[in-house]
Amino acid sequence: MEVKPKSACDTCAQFNADGLKKLGVNTSNFDYVVALAGNPNTGKSTVFNAMTGLRQHTGNWPGKTVTRAEGAFEYNGEKFKLVDLPGTYSLLSTSEDEEVARNFILFGKPSVTVIVVDASRLERNLNLVLQILEITNNAVLCLNLMDEAERNNLEIDTRTLARDLGIPVVPTSARYNRGIPELIQTVSELANGKIVCKPHRIKNIPKNIEQALEKLSAEIKEVYPDIPNSRWIALRLLEGDRNIIETLKTGEFV
Amino acid sequence: MNTNKIDHIISLSNDLRWQIGDEFHDNLAEGIYADAAEIVKDSVHKKDEKGAFRVDAKIDKIITSKVWGFPLMFLILAVVLWLTIVGANYPSSILSGLLLDTLHPALKGFASTIGMPWWLDGFLIDGVYLAVAWVIAVMLPPMAIFFPLFTLLEDFGYLPRVAFNLDHLFKLSGAHGKQALTMSMGFGCNAAGIVATRIIDSPRERLIAIITNNFSLCNGRWPTQILIATIFVGALVPASYSGIMSLVAVIGIAVLGMVFMFLVSWGLSKTVLKGEVSTFNLELPPYRPPRFWKTIYTSIIDRTLIVLWRAIVFAAPAGAVIWLISNIYIGDASVAAWLIDSLDGFGFLLGLNGVILVAYIVAIPANEIVIPTILMLTVLVTGISAGAGAGVMFELDSVTATGDILRAGGWTLLTAINLMLFSLLHNPCSTTIYTIYKETKSVKWTLVASILPVIMGFVVTFLVAQIWRLGS
């Protein structure tokens, strides 16, 4: 066994280290479902392993995780099931892995979505982040690979980023277990409703598309007043997504 | 129900789709990127222009260059193989000393003390136990070296570069560039390589990758290649060069396997699996220093032990079968002898012999027991004494002694070369066949993937034998 590097948070009053139990593959009787999404090769599987204590094989090539992996941890008496989704650059196309990720976030209704991004390649990664924020209200940005960003001399103002995105931002280096306690704490607070997000919604959309979206989304809200992502559904309808048309009829995502 | 409302929404969306036109997708993507750029501008600052990006780019310039890409790839492959071959020798001899020379006699002694009947003792200890012990002694050390080395390369970020270098060739052969990754995995274990083909989206290209993965020389076959190359090919040159010569021969076979992979992929994509080559984005990940011990640990747990366990499960019954066919007599000869006799003529046509063919039939479960089975059967047929009874697998302490037995069994350089070729081109092991079925869910494609390589093996060895005999 390797000794986990001590994090300052292990002793912080905010983080309750004794309250954490990594449950590995035992995912029965969970209280919350947490989805793990992100671009390929940003270390999702490493974050997954760090949170669950599992040793799922990780590797330095995009597309390592081909199927959904599940694990669990317990924090302050509540059980969280963690689902590691395949890495995608976007959620807008029809490829199989994007569909798995998109459907899970939309229909699996995770309590919290952890979006793992490569801190050194934030701009490119934000493409996916902004799409996910259209779908879900409860998300946290896991700014992973901070050690590499530091080596690349990048400075990231996490507060500004959190304010702009409207969700909590936690810097991590999952391979060294740095930031994982804070991430778990944040996930727990999001699940319990102690942190409420006000996610960024895509602004720079051409006027004609924006108007179409508003029109559609207003109609959708009339039928399903409680859904948080009417705009995303409108977007998918404009795209002609068969899946969405079907589920709109059955009302499965409510 | 709101059915009317929903129908209205859907028809509205259809109308709107027409209105906004087909630039919708691009406009949306541009909008998202514009948002992303604004956000990043406020929160990310670069302290100076130097950094790891430059180093990465410099390394990539060499590793993926047209001039150096291929030589470097072969050099790295050669180094990994060399480390595996040389490094595996010592633990292998320790393990075989322990399991075969110490524990086996001890078990035999114990069996005779408790008065176990000879057939049960033979079946269990000489059959099942020896096959398992063999697989562990021969297979564990090279795997425990090869898999971690491979995983280190993977974690470092080299594999996607290999895919990048080979992409052009795969595209030419009508296959997916990511097949380079599954091919590399196949060098460790074909079953693992076939599972890895899940990264290929297109079903057509995935099938090609599955069917041709067997042309990656796997772990179970490396030791056979190395041993035979050392005995017969290495001996062609003066002793000081024989190591290099054997390595060149083995790498030659591995490269030949890659050539066959391209040819068969090309053939399939031009005939039964016709279709367009799909494009894909391959992101070259940053080089990351692997976490050494963690990598070693996970690759041993995840890959080595799992593959080893599977091999043991399949080797045990094979050991039992080998013992049975050499101890059950029909008339005046054992079943094994009958089989060998009946296959000798066909074997001769292929430049092989009946022993080798029988060994490949009983070794379908696990390729690593081919050599011990060949030795055992050769002794059985030639009647030379090597201190072991019928149906008992054994290894000889020295490569020279193994060579002597094989030569006594009528082996020539042609037999050796054709055995190396046949070891490359024959049906996948039963684990791999099972994995192919699980992944494709199709009996037809499983049969194709299993039988195609054997036919190729027959054709290639037949041609080599005929040309060889014409020339000599």
Side-chain angles (χ1 to χ4, degrees), chain A residues 68-90:
Chain A
R68 236 169 55 180
E70 296 185 355
F73 64 91
E74 188 180 315
Y75 186 62
N76 292 341
E78 287 173 320
K79 278 185 76 172
F80 294 80
K81 179 166 108 170
L82 199 60
V83 179
D84 189 10
L85 298 174
T88 58
Y89 294 104
S90 161

Side-chain angles (χ1 to χ4, degrees), chain B residues 264-286:
Chain B
V264 173
S265 301
W266 180 80
L268 287 170
S269 71
K270 287 285 169 290
T271 55
V272 276
L273 290 170
K274 258 187 217 154
E276 288 295 308
V277 178
S278 57
T279 53
F280 67 105
N281 291 324
L282 181 73
E283 188 178 357
L284 295 183

Side-chain angles (χ1 to χ4, degrees), chain A residues 89 124 175 200 222 238, chain B residues 5 17 35 45 283 291:
Chain A
Y89 294 104
R124 202 175 54 196
R175 358 206 255 144
H200 172 99
E222 245 175 70
L238 287 182
Chain B
K5 267 256 151 205
R17 195 177 311 132
D35 272 33
H45 308 283
E283 188 178 357
R291 301 206 54 197

